[in-house]
Amino acid sequence: MTQQMDLNQRFEEYIALDQKIEAKDWMPDAYRKTLIRQISQHAHSEIIGMQPEGNWITRAPSLKRKSILLAKVQDEAGHGLYLYSAAETLGISRDEMLDALHTGKAKYSSIFNYPTLTWADMGSIGWLVDGAAIMNQVPLCKCSYGPYARAMVRVCKEESFHQRQGFQIMLNLSQGTSEQKDMAQDALNRWWWPSLMMFGPSDASSKHSKQSMRWKIKRFSNDELRQRFVDMTVPQAELIGLTIPDSDLKWNEETGHYEFGPIDWSEFEQVVAGNGPCNRERIETRVAAHENGAWVRDAAAAYAEKVADRESRQTSAA
Amino acid sequence: MSASKTDWPLWEVFVRSRQGLSHKHVGSLHAADSTMAISNARDVYTRRQEGTSIWVIKAEDITASTPSNKDVLFDPANDKVYRHPTFYDLPDELKNM
């Protein structure tokens, strides 16, 4: 009992002193559970996030754009893998996490349940969705759990090209023909509000926020990060002559921030509950990829076993 | 869901970022054997020329000290401050030492 108290006290001290918690350190069960939930959902988001963009790889307008998109989607796969590894240090297996994703037990970012209808959606995803992700992820580089923080450093380094390439697509379209400009505006109209929802429910109704901030997993509140994103993005839209689809949007000289209209949280709840435009398709595609790859995993395991067996027989013969 | 017959083991990955530096731990991954581990490590951890050499080691083959041993292992060094050059109070006139 006293030993338990000592351990808890040491954990609290580490947190207070901004020291990192490492995989083998003692941690409260609730801290471990919170991290497993957050990191695995983050990993799932990266993996499911490959699909909306994968949709355009074969239809990219040039070889250069296709190479860039391929590299970006490959990065998302990499980010998913860094994060799955970080989650595994907490004692959950890769298979358990994948099962949770495939059976719908685990969530992923609801933004990926929206369809990618035009090439301008590739621009909007890079500019807005990756922009919002960066806003969320940069503070995670300083999160209290070492393996997660280190994975996020890698992710953030790679993510900035994603946002820049997206903005460049929007820039080029906005300088193009009137159809191209309309296409860019249409994509912005569809992605703007879902991007604001990426920061999660407002502070008042976010159920995990408070405890996560106390544990220094989370460093800023959902509303703070959302405001920063709006402040950063509005001038970028102005620069390329696109209009943010919000009639309430206005600059507040006094606060130094943009004020924006109310978010339709009922839409967010619907998408989280599984009723977004693409929820079913995303999971079906993921499950099919997993099942169709089973023979590859089995063959590789059988081959590794055969080689190991042969090597051990050679060793015993010698 | 068709479960794999065998779970691929976990490998820890170490990358030498350039000649002259030591290998540094960068993360882990799953692979069926060491050849696949190297090739996966190349794809996962060195997409932007982060490395000139990769080591992979099965995670289960690593022996690590445990956090509960921390005091036993590292505390005795605490009272041996004379191992540090700053322990020695020398006259200011002494240059370049």
Side-chain angles (χ1 to χ4, degrees), chain A residues 99-110:
Chain A
D99 270 353
L101 173 64
H102 296 162
T103 55
K105 225 176 85 193
K107 301 271 182 245
Y108 54 87
S109 181
S110 61

Side-chain angles (χ1 to χ4, degrees), chain A residues 40-202:
Chain A
S40 66
Q41 292 187 3
H42 195 161
H44 298 329
S45 301
E46 300 283 355
I47 297 302
I48 297 292
M50 295 164 75
Q51 292 184 37
E53 292 180 298
N55 183 32
W56 279 90
I57 289 175
T58 55
R59 288 176 285 159
S62 69
L63 187 56
K64 186 182 95 180
R65 291 293 183 194
K66 185 172 179 165
S67 310
I68 292 172
L69 193 56
L70 268 171
K72 183 174 187 293
V73 173
Q74 194 190 18
D75 271 356
E76 312 296 358
H79 297 175
L81 294 176
Y82 309 154
L83 288 163
Y84 281 132
S85 296
E88 278 175 85
T89 63
L90 292 157
I92 186 168
S93 75
R94 184 76 56 102
D95 283 346
E96 284 174 279
M97 287 188 274
L98 289 180
D99 270 353
L101 173 64
H102 296 162
T103 55
K105 225 176 85 193
K107 301 271 182 245
Y108 54 87
S109 181
S110 61
I111 192 88
F112 301 118
N113 291 316
Y114 289 88
T116 45
L117 305 177
T118 71
W119 174 249
D121 289 19
M122 298 303 97
S124 293
I125 288 183
W127 174 34
L128 302 173
V129 176
D130 290 312
I134 291 171
M135 207 53 98
N136 265 330
Q137 287 169 346
V138 167
L140 288 174
C141 298
K142 289 188 173 177
C143 113
S144 59
Y145 187 57
Y148 191 26
R150 291 192 287 274
M152 290 320 300
V153 170
R154 297 186 69 86
V155 169
C156 287
K157 265 192 204 159
E158 298 179 354
E159 202 79 53
S160 88
F161 120 69
H162 297 181
Q163 195 191 12
R164 292 172 71 102
Q165 66 86 34
F167 188 74
Q168 197 198 43
I169 291 174
M170 297 302 271
L171 172 70
N172 291 353
L173 287 172
S174 69
Q175 291 168 339
T177 63
S178 67
E179 279 106 332
Q180 286 172 321
K181 196 170 174 187
D182 288 349
M183 194 196 275
Q185 182 63 52
D186 166 67
L188 171 58
N189 292 350
R190 283 181 289 110
W191 290 96
W192 174 253
W193 291 104
S195 298
L196 293 195
M197 294 174 199
M198 281 178 71
F199 295 93
S202 76

Side-chain angles (χ1 to χ4, degrees), chain A residues 217-259:
Chain A
I217 296 172
K218 213 174 148 79
R219 296 284 180 153
F220 301 98
S221 79
N222 294 350
D223 286 332
E224 267 179 283
L225 292 168
R226 186 166 18 243
Q227 183 66 54
R228 269 193 219 177
F229 175 73
V230 172
D231 291 344
M232 180 190 78
T233 311
V234 173
Q236 294 170 353
E238 281 168 4
L239 185 71
I240 53 176
L242 297 179
T243 310
I244 303 281
D246 179 357
S247 53
D248 294 327
L249 188 78
K250 60 171 185 286
W251 174 250
N252 183 327
E253 194 70 53
E254 249 170 67
T255 59
H257 294 293
Y258 283 94
E259 287 171 9

Side-chain angles (χ1 to χ4, degrees), chain A residues 24, chain B residues 12 14 25 57-64:
Chain A
K24 291 196 166 176
Chain B
E12 297 297 334
F14 299 78
H25 182 244
I57 299 155
K58 258 191 203 167
E60 62 179 26
D61 291 339
I62 293 179
T63 308

Side-chain angles (χ1 to χ4, degrees), chain A residues 14 75 85 88 95 158, chain B residues 7 28 30 45 47-48 70:
Chain A
Y14 270 28
D75 271 356
S85 296
E88 278 175 85
D95 283 346
E158 298 179 354
Chain B
D7 290 338
S28 53
H30 289 272
Y45 292 106
R47 287 192 302 283
R48 288 173 175 77
K70 209 162 155 188

